[in-house]
Amino acid sequence: MFARILSYQKYLVLLAIPVFIIVVLLTNPSHGATYWLNFWWMFPVALIIALIVNTLGISGAALFVPFFVLIFPLAAMPLSGVQSVELGLITESFGLSSSALAFLAFG
């Protein structure tokens, strides 16, 4: 049964985009469109990082965590020490879960 779920993994990843849009963007009126447009530059940066890590065959967290902890606070908004640690742990947990799913899919 688990292998059957993993065969649809790509669809679950694509489903994350509309879920994010519906849950975070539409149901949270405190942040308008201008708030999210302030971070337009993150898409090309994330795309370049993802291209590099996929080409090298390493976990995306290897480059995303240093970027989010060191560079993002300088470019966008300062983060407290606790926020930096939380951001690193969240990024690492997504990387670990992705690697674990790939390991289970390929044996």
Side-chain angles (χ1 to χ4, degrees), residues 1-9 12 97 100-105:
M1 181 183 129
F2 193 68
R4 185 178 213 193
I5 293 172
L6 288 177
S7 67
Y8 295 105
Q9 180 181 2
L12 294 173
S97 62
L101 286 174
F103 177 77
L104 290 173

Side-chain angles (χ1 to χ4, degrees), residues 56-95:
L56 296 176
I58 59 175
S59 172
L63 291 181
F64 275 112
V65 169
F67 173 77
F68 282 135
V69 172
L70 301 174
I71 298 171
F72 181 76
L74 297 175
M77 65 181 72
L79 299 174
S80 69
V82 172
Q83 289 173 325
S84 294
V85 170
E86 289 172 343
L87 188 59
L89 288 174
I90 290 169
T91 307
E92 288 289 345
S93 65
F94 277 105

Side-chain angles (χ1 to χ4, degrees), residues 7-51:
S7 67
Y8 295 105
Q9 180 181 2
K10 57 186 167 282
Y11 300 116
L12 294 173
V13 171
L14 287 175
L15 184 65
I17 297 168
V19 167
F20 174 79
I21 291 172
I22 291 169
V23 171
V24 174
L25 299 182
L26 298 180
T27 62
N28 190 358
S30 64
H31 296 300
T34 55
Y35 174 80
W36 294 104
L37 289 175
N38 288 334
F39 302 103
W40 67 269
W41 56 273
M42 284 295 296
F43 181 74
V45 169
L47 194 63
I48 290 169
I49 291 174
L51 181 69

